[in-house]
Amino acid sequence: MLYVVSPPGPSRDSLLAALGGEAVAFDSVDSIGALGDLSPGVVLVDSAAASAGELLTFASLAAASGPGWCVALIGNGAGEPSVQTISLGPTNSLEQAGAFARNPSGHREQLLELRRVLGDAGQLRHDLNNPLTVALAQTQVLLMDHPEDQVREPLEMIQAQLYRMRDIIVAAHHLRTPNE
């Protein structure tokens, strides 16, 4: 199945025409709803329909929904529409993206690569969290030991940056393989 996420207008109309009317159109990634309610396939997202963060979150949700999903960003390079598969590799033509949608099992290597990348991201989150916890604990102990010292201000800056790192790691919770 082929899905197109693009704001209504001439750009979406020309894209749907280029795809031969085989696609289902949505106005935004939010309007798609639960992916479990749809048949797996390729979701082509127009850059005007989602921010980078929304696109990454949606791609992660699609990957976690099963091996039949692929998310790609629609772009215009040299006047020709092109498709950049999210986290999977090189730019593909619209025909290649359509072939993937019609036969996702024929693209096992790409699906396995996405699963590997998501697994690596999940492991990285875990590996960063352990030393971060130790650093935060030690910084807090030093702050308790030096309530009025000249080292307090630098320690508070370090602590603030460690909390910032923690928040970034927590925000990336969606980067994991489907069985995590």
Side-chain angles (χ1 to χ4, degrees):
M1 192 66 195
L2 190 59
Y3 305 96
V4 172
V5 179
S6 179
S11 177
R12 178 164 94 178
D13 295 341
S14 65
L15 178 63
L16 291 172
L19 295 170
E22 296 181 31
V24 176
F26 293 93
D27 296 344
S28 68
V29 291
D30 291 334
S31 66
I32 290 179
L35 293 177
D37 297 341
L38 301 172
S39 298
V42 175
V43 182
L44 302 174
V45 181
D46 185 336
S47 59
S51 68
E54 290 170 327
L55 184 62
L56 179 60
T57 299
F58 182 75
S60 299
L61 292 172
S65 294
W69 288 98
C70 177
V71 178
L73 184 65
I74 300 168
N76 265 332
E80 287 287 319
S82 64
V83 179
Q84 176 65 44
T85 311
I86 306 301
S87 301
L88 295 181
T91 301
N92 301 294
S93 69
L94 290 175
E95 293 80 20
Q96 290 168 317
F100 183 92
R102 287 185 289 279
N103 184 17
S105 62
H107 300 275
R108 182 168 169 73
E109 300 82 26
Q110 289 174 317
L111 295 171
L112 289 173
E113 176 64 11
L114 176 60
R115 189 178 193 95
R116 185 194 64 75
V117 167
L118 289 172
D120 289 350
Q123 184 65 45
L124 180 63
R125 280 183 28 249
H126 177 75
D127 291 346
L128 289 173
N129 210 29
N130 291 335
L132 176 63
T133 301
V134 171
L136 267 171
Q138 290 299 317
T139 304
Q140 289 169 351
V141 167
L142 287 170
L143 281 168
M144 286 188 287
D145 290 345
H146 300 282
E148 302 290 330
D149 251 350
Q150 64 185 19
V151 297
R152 184 162 185 82
E153 187 176 333
L155 285 172
E156 287 173 344
M157 266 195 311
I158 292 169
Q159 183 181 36
Q161 293 305 308
L162 291 171
Y163 278 128
R164 183 171 170 232
M165 287 175 59
R166 183 204 57 194
D167 293 345
I168 291 168
I169 292 169
V170 168
H173 72 279
H174 58 279
L175 298 175
R176 65 189 187 293
T177 56
N179 45 338
E180 274 189 74

